[in-house]
């Protein structure tokens, strides 16, 4: 049964009214009731807070991931793309006015808004960045205690089942495979969890490696880099369990951000015929060298680098490159066999030595054993 709640809306600047449906899943007073309605993303942000875990913060929401927020906004640039998943909000029932099929929410100037986002912060923020007038489905928890809010957050984020890869592939066969694949690629979503799908996206528009991956389907004469170079690099990033990089799509975009900065600094020289930087050994070793240093920056309280802020990541990569040189990758290396575990170790040691040499004002090749 719907629980009616009528409240006089005082001391407010404005209010928003929505047609809605109330219902309860349990027939007892201990369980919360729900209200389902549609509202623009901008509206929801006007009357809802997003509180995050962190120093001095008591809310239930996780820290914002800038990369995920941007992915949502980018996703909506395709006019065919939509997200039907609801935003879950806890509403302070003492601050709203409700009847059988209508809900009025005040927009207050005070420090605490009537709503609190329980799930969907990145969807909400990303959609609002794209166009705050885009509507989102909302499920409001009407009479939740602080404990209930935390409980709902934990349940939603730990008990939800991911769609199996077999199910996804079955859908791809049921519908037009080419159309579905193209749409997923445009949205920068890999069809499955295999890294090869992410390499295909790295080979596409907006990447410094566009049309440079040695796939049979790659058009043009630029292709030269074997897919394994990217697969191994993405695998290394995932293995580090870096903060805010727990999603395969975000890990891929983090990798692309690093290499955009490298290519911006060294230009076409990075892709010259004899340059080892964009061979397998170069991609793997340079990626690992840079990622290790960015990870160290993220761990230092003094720097507290946000690895999901790709603009800041690129800025830090540019600074790191001031102690590196493209000449190393164009130089003749002693012997061969560097595309091995031992070879990779030697290249990484060389990169560390070059960084120290340039910092100390020495010639970059001093004591670099492999040149």
């Amino acid at each position: 049964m719907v629980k009616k709640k009528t409240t006089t809306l005082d001391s407010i600047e404005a209010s928003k009214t929505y047609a809605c449906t109330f219902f309860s899943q349990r027939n007892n007073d201990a369980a919360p009731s729900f209200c389902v309605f549609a509202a623009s993303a901008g509206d929801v942000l006007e009357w809802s807070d997003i509180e995050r875990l962190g120093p001095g913060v008591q809310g239930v929401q996780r820290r914002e991931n800038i990369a995920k927020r941007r992915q949502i906004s980018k996703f909506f640039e395709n006019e065919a793309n939509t997200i039907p998943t609801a935003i879950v909000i806890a509403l302070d029932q003492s601050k709203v006015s409700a009847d059988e099929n209508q809900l009025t929410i005040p927009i207050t100037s005070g420090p605490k808004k009537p709503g609190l986002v329980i799930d969907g912060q990145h969807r909400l923020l990303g959609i609002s960045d794209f166009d705050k007038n885009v509507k989102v489905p909302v499920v409001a928890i009407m009479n939740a205690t602080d404990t209930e809010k935390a409980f709902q957050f934990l349940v939603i984020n730990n008990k939800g089942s991911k769609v199996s890869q077999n199910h996804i592939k079955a859908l791809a066969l049921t519908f037009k495979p080419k159309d579905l694949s193209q749409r997923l690629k445009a949205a920068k979503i890999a069809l499955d969890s295999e890294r090869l799908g992410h390499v295909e996206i790295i080979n596409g528009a907006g990447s410094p490696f566009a049309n440079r991956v040695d796939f049979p389907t790659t058009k043009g004469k630029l292709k030269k880099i074997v897919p394994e170079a990217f697969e191994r690099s993405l695998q290394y990033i995932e293995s580090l369990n870096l903060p805010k990089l727990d999603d395969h799509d975000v890990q891929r975009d983090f990798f692309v951000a690093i290499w955009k900065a490298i290519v911006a600094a060294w230009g076409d020289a990075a892709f010259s015929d004899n340059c080892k930087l964009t061979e397998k050994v170069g991609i793997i070793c340079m990626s690992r060298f840079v990622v290790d240093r960015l990870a160290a920056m993220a761990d230092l309280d003094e720097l507290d680098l946000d690895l999901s802020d790709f603009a800041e990541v690129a800025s830090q990569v540019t600074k790191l490159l001031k102690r590196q040189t493209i000449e190393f990758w164009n130089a003749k290396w002693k012997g061969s066999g560097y595309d091995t575990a031992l070879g990779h170790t030697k290249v990484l040691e060389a990169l560390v030595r070059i960084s120290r040499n340039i910092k100390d004002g020495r010639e970059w090749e001093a004591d670099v054993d492999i040149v």
Side-chain angles (χ1 to χ4, degrees), residues 323 351-362:
R323 294 179 183 170
L351 293 174
V352 172
R353 172 54 57 192
I354 290 169
S355 179
R356 291 171 179 169
N357 284 343
I358 294 176
K359 178 183 178 182
D360 294 339
R362 305 172 70 194

Side-chain angles (χ1 to χ4, degrees), residues 98-173:
D99 59 27
E100 292 288 345
N101 55 17
Q102 187 168 281
L103 177 70
T104 300
I105 306 174
I107 300 172
T108 65
S109 57
K112 193 171 183 180
K113 297 177 182 179
L116 175 67
V117 177
I118 300 296
D119 184 63
Q121 63 160 331
H122 294 109
R123 275 174 277 139
L124 185 61
L125 291 168
I127 292 171
S128 179
D129 289 343
F130 171 74
D131 183 350
K132 61 180 59 180
N133 294 312
V134 172
K135 289 187 176 181
V136 296
V138 178
V139 174
I141 306 173
M142 294 303 295
N143 52 340
T145 63
D146 287 343
T147 300
E148 180 71 21
K149 293 171 187 175
F151 174 78
Q152 291 292 345
F153 172 78
L154 291 173
V155 168
I156 289 169
N157 287 280
N158 288 284
K159 295 296 185 183
S161 298
K162 293 185 177 180
V163 178
S164 71
Q165 293 304 317
N166 288 339
H167 195 132
I168 293 175
K169 290 174 182 177
L171 286 174
L173 293 174

